[in-house]
Amino acid sequence: EVNGTRLYYEVAGTGDPIVFIHGNFGDRRYFEGQFEALAKFHRVLRYDVRGYGKSMLPEEGVSYSDFEDLEALMAHLDIDRAHIAGFSLGSAIAVDFCLAFPDRCSSLVAIGPWFHGYDSPLAQTLFQEFGTISAAAVSGGRDAALEQLLAATWWYPDKVSPRALDRVKAIWRDYDFWHFKNPDPRRFLTPPAAEQLERITAPTLIITAEYDLDACRAVAHQMDAKIPDSTMVDLAGATHFMFIEEPEEVNAAMLDFLVEAACR
């Protein structure tokens, strides 16, 4: 029980802590290929963001912020400082966290990256696609929203490897779609992260892929241009779910980066 909610989490390993924050439509299971592998070298925390997985659903009309939930969870687990790694929505939470609590952030890892306040024609197209999922959720419930998501082409499903696709779909089938059926009560950083990227002082690793979401590829380049101490990796042939498709390659890039970040 933290910050007025209940968050489900799992911890493994010992050493310099690293936190994994999952992306939209999913939960901590996205990081199955990273959890035990990186726990050989680090104390690894993965958790379900409020409204996802086994964590408590938000209360309609009750404001909260994901980055404050994370800070409270770390305090509960006596983690003073950690490497903060997020995927997609999770990377936006990670960016907010590192801006709000710079002393708690050893480094930042953004996979299939996003940050709040980003706007462009590509972002507007993605928001429209999310709008169709929301409309389906409101009119037809969870099953209709899932059907709309599975039928979408913006996440390049034809490029996702069959093994990764099966895993992603299995995780999606468990999602409640609460955030798409209800008014969003989340608070984000003010001013938004889009206006503060230059203030990120932590070493930052940005991982994108050839078939990442179009908007996420644009976000990756913008983060790399604006964050002072950043490194970008672009994986050929992979999709938004690169860390599921190519776990060894992503894990190796992360471990190399974490060793360097610990020395700075």
Side-chain angles (χ1 to χ4, degrees):
E1 293 187 7
V2 295
N3 205 33
T5 191
R6 293 175 63 88
L7 299 179
Y8 180 84
Y9 68 89
E10 297 171 351
V11 179
T14 59
D16 200 15
I18 179 170
V19 178
F20 281 102
I21 315 169
H22 64 81
N24 226 330
F25 312 113
D27 55 47
R28 74 204 176 280
R29 292 174 294 167
Y30 273 149
F31 293 113
E32 203 65 32
Q34 286 68 49
F35 186 60
E36 292 186 5
L38 270 69
K40 296 175 183 177
F41 310 96
H42 293 268
R43 183 185 182 193
V44 179
L45 163 65
R46 65 175 178 177
Y47 74 104
D48 291 338
V49 173
R50 190 186 305 209
Y52 296 82
K54 295 183 179 181
S55 288
M56 184 179 289
L57 294 174
E59 296 181 53
E60 188 172 352
V62 177
S63 177
Y64 72 96
S65 78
D66 292 316
F67 65 89
E68 290 174 343
D69 280 358
L70 173 56
E71 194 277 335
L73 178 59
M74 287 174 58
H76 173 75
L77 295 172
D78 295 320
I79 300 175
D80 293 328
R81 186 177 174 89
H83 303 282
I84 310 297
F87 161 60
S88 200
L89 165 71
S91 69
I93 297 171
V95 169
D96 276 2
F97 179 89
C98 290
L99 284 166
F101 305 105
D103 293 340
R104 310 289 299 275
C105 180
S106 300
S107 72
L108 169 64
V109 180
I111 306 169
W114 194 258
F115 54 80
H116 293 304
Y118 173 69
D119 193 19
S120 72
L122 290 175
Q124 290 302 317
T125 297
L126 183 60
F127 296 155
Q128 289 171 10
E129 296 285 359
F130 274 34
T132 63
I133 296 171
S134 182
V138 171
S139 63
R142 192 200 72 87
D143 289 345
L146 177 61
E147 183 178 354
Q148 185 70 42
L149 175 60
L150 291 173
T153 59
W154 47 266
W155 51 278
Y156 293 103
D158 59 319
K159 302 292 185 182
V160 182
S161 67
R163 179 184 61 84
L165 188 61
D166 287 344
R167 280 193 53 202
V168 169
K169 287 181 176 180
I171 294 170
W172 285 356
R173 290 188 182 102
D174 292 334
Y175 178 46
D176 180 80
F177 285 87
W178 189 94
H179 294 87
F180 292 84
K181 295 184 291 186
N182 297 277
D184 192 352
R186 286 176 293 186
R187 289 181 286 102
F188 307 115
L189 204 61
T190 303
E195 300 176 19
Q196 301 192 61
L197 294 179
E198 296 87 348
R199 292 186 51 246
I200 295 177
T201 57
T204 299
L205 175 64
I206 305 152
I207 307 179
T208 185
E210 182 176 359
Y211 299 107
D212 200 352
L213 307 191
D214 295 341
C216 291
R217 283 189 60 81
V219 162
H221 288 281
Q222 191 163 335
M223 289 181 69
D224 191 37
K226 291 192 173 184
I227 296 175
D229 186 5
S230 66
T231 302
M232 188 172 75
V233 174
D234 193 344
L235 300 178
T239 73
H240 195 51
F241 304 102
M242 62 204 84
F243 59 100
I244 299 175
E245 295 171 303
E246 304 290 348
E248 294 84 3
E249 190 169 353
V250 170
N251 294 352
M254 288 188 61
L255 287 170
D256 288 347
F257 166 77
L258 293 174
V259 169
E260 293 179 5
C263 297
R264 299 182 192 178

